[in-house]
């Protein structure tokens, strides 16, 4: 949970208002975290006795951000309307007297920080966006509150849902501000400070260390975070993460919370090196365009890596090709393993989606792949990444829907047993219709699965269609048997099966062979 919405007005608590000193050098206003200004206040590296002087310099540039929203919902008509029972049982939530829409007020709370003396403010997109997952939600106004409790109505300059960043502007001058630093210079174990407004409590400071770098939480185009154990809670979103030189090296964005939503020492911040280019473009009004291949990918698990004879943690497996997109035009195929993008290795810390997103649309770039065990290079003209809502509508190839087991498998010939622990038979049009499989799919359908086999433990079931083995198409039981024999002859202890279940996208599963 990133932040909380409240139906009632939020109660903002803050300490005694602090006077904001605006440093000047030679008559010109300077950033709060200029090296010359920080030299006397920054704690010495190692184990500082106190962060107080550092906080005193940085905290004036951190702000509270709140939004006023309206949520319009369609109500259900009162079933007792017009009868003697109308009003007897009270009006239930979401139920109007005549089914007319009702509008409720809501608020959101978050944090941000000022990056220029004329009032540009950085925060998370989700802090200023309409309530997530709520139809009919709109943002009426955005309010920025400084440490001295001065409030300003903010203008939304731009937002970028992909990176979860937004840029605001308030009408003010001579404001305290801070600058971005080099997050690539951060090391695991470095001290960091997080300043924000958790739960609406203004001006809260927490300290911790960098717990991990390049942390991937979901595999998206900008899913590469700094992890910290500095306490980050709801309302900290959009606030800055500082190093001990006073530089903003991250923007607090996500938490891995407890069941109650509180901090458990695992928070995530967007690295400054990823955030600053986006903010610069938003400030200039430049359209943010990212590279796009048009593929559904899977991480290369240990079993899949072993099936293809590849090292672990290198490359990602293409499970789906979107027709007409860059990958399709370049000749990539489902089952290809992408090892490098423009010479940069695909790893758990540097996903295929991340690498491609950072390639300019239209650029031609080499992709080093493995296809059916053979290395090759394909050059792709990178496309433009669609908006996130369109990508969500495409679905995730790993989210295969469960297929029911209703009905018997039609008997077509004698099923063939094999070292997978399954019996299969050729997929025919009647069988495909029975299991709701598209008529274009070719492969062998599983009739039975040995529950004690690795295939059984991996969740394979009757009705699943095996399309290929280690990238080699298998349209008959004999072809499946030959592919397994070939894998054994090559010394492989497992094979990669491309599975189709109903109408869900194809999925690759590594399955160990019976000895």
């Amino acid at each position: 949970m990133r932040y909380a919405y409240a139906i009632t007005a939020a109660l903002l608590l803050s300490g005694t208002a602090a006077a904001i000193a605006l440093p000047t050098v030679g008559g010109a206003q300077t950033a709060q975290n200029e090296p010359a200004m920080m030299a006397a206040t920054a704690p010495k590296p190692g184990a500082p006795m106190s962060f107080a002087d550092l906080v005193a310099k940085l905290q004036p540039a951190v702000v509270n951000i709140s939004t006023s929203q309206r949520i319009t919902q369609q109500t259900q008509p009162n079933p007792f309307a017009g009868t003697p029972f109308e009003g007897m049982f009270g009006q239930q939530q979401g139920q109007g007297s005549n089914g007319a829409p009702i509008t409720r007020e809501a608020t959101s709370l978050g944090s941000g920080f000022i990056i220029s003396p004329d009032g540009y403010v950085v925060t998370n997109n989700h802090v200023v966006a309409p309530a997530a997952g709520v139809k009919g939600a709109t943002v009426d106004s955005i309010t920025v509150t400084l440490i001295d409790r001065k409030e300003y109505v903010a203008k939304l300059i731009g937002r970028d849902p992909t990176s979860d960043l937004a840029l605001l502007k308030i009408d003010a001058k001579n404001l305290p501000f801070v600058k971005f630093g080099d997050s690539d210079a951060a090391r695991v174990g470095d001290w960091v400070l997080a300043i924000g407004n958790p739960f609406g409590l203004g001006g809260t400071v927490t300290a911790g260390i960098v717990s991990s770098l390049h942390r991937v939480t979901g595999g998206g185009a900008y899913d590469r975070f700094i992890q910290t154990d500095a306490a980050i809670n709801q309302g900290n979103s959009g606030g800055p993460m500082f190093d001990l030189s006073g530089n903003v090296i991250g923007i607090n964005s996500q938490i891995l919370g407890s069941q109650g939503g509180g901090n458990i020492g695992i928070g995530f911040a967007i690295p400054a090196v990823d955030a600053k280019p986006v903010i610069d473009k938003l400030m200039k009004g430049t359209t943010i365009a990212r590279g796009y291949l048009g593929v559904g990918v899977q991480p290369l698990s240990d079993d899949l890596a072993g099936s293809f004879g590849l090292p672990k943690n290198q490359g990602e497996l293409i499970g789906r090709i979107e027709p007409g997109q860059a990958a399709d035009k370049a000749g990539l195929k489902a089952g290809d393993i992408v090892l490098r993008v423009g010479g940069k290795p695909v790893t758990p810390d540097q996903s295929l989606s991340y690498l491609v997103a950072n390639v300019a649309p239209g650029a031609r770039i080499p992709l080093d792949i493995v296809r059916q065990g053979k290395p090759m290079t394909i050059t792709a003209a990178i496309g433009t990444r669609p908006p996130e809502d369109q990508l969500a509508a495409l679905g995730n190839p790993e989210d295969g829907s469960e297929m029911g087991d209703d009905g018997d498998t039609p008997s077509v010939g004698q099923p063939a047993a094999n070292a997978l622990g399954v019996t299969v038979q050729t997929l025919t049009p009647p069988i495909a219709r029975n299991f709701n499989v598209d008529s274009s799919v070719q492969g062998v359908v599983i009739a039975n699965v040995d529950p004690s086999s690795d295939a059984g433990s991996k969740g394979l079931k009757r009705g699943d269609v095996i399309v290929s083995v280690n990238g080699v198409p298998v349209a008959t039981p004999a072809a499946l048997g030959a592919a397994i024999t070939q894998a054994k002859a090559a010394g492989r202890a497992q094979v990669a099966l491309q599975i189709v279940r109903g109408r869900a996208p194809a999925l690759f599963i590594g399955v160990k062979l019976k000895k």
Side-chain angles (χ1 to χ4, degrees), residues 430-455:
I431 296 177
R433 288 194 296 270
N434 187 71
F435 288 108
N436 193 31
V437 175
D438 190 90
S439 59
S440 63
V441 174
Q442 295 185 343
V444 292
V445 63
I446 295 177
N448 292 290
V449 180
D450 180 357
S452 65
S453 67
D454 190 51

Side-chain angles (χ1 to χ4, degrees), residues 193-389:
L193 293 177
I195 305 179
N197 302 279
F199 302 107
L201 299 171
T204 298
V205 182
T206 56
I209 62 169
V210 174
S211 303
S212 179
L213 297 168
H214 310 310
R215 177 68 75 197
V216 176
T217 62
Y222 266 64
D223 188 5
R224 206 166 71 143
F225 296 97
I226 300 172
Q227 181 182 330
T228 182
D229 65 348
I232 296 174
N233 289 284
Q234 298 169 24
N236 272 111
S237 287
M241 173 188 287
F242 294 104
D243 63 17
L244 291 196
S245 295
N247 297 309
V248 178
I249 62 168
I251 302 173
N252 301 319
S253 178
Q254 299 182 15
I255 61 172
L256 184 63
S258 64
Q259 291 183 350
N263 173 266
I264 58 172
I266 302 178
F268 304 99
I270 303 168
V273 293
D274 291 334
K276 189 178 185 302
V278 174
I279 295 301
D280 289 344
K281 289 182 179 180
L282 292 177
M283 187 177 293
K284 296 175 182 177
T286 305
T287 300
I288 297 175
R290 297 183 173 86
Y292 186 66
L293 264 183
V295 297
V297 296
Q298 288 182 234
L300 209 58
S301 66
D302 291 354
D303 285 340
L304 287 174
S307 301
F308 291 109
L310 295 172
K312 295 188 295 183
N313 299 323
Q314 294 185 25
E316 289 186 6
L317 180 62
I318 295 179
R320 181 189 67 198
I321 302 289
E322 294 179 24
Q325 295 294 337
D328 186 26
K329 294 176 181 178
L332 288 171
K333 297 180 180 180
D336 288 347
I337 301 168
V338 183
L339 298 179
R340 283 174 292 276
V341 177
K344 297 179 180 179
V346 178
T347 67
D349 292 341
Q350 195 166 247
S351 68
L352 175 64
S353 179
Y354 177 85
L355 290 172
V356 171
N358 285 278
V359 175
R364 296 181 61 82
I365 193 163
L367 305 175
D368 295 328
I369 70 170
V370 173
R371 177 179 292 170
Q372 296 184 14
K374 298 178 181 179
M376 57 191 302
T377 300
I378 289 180
T379 300
I382 302 300
T384 301
R385 185 179 178 89
E388 295 304 303
D389 55 349

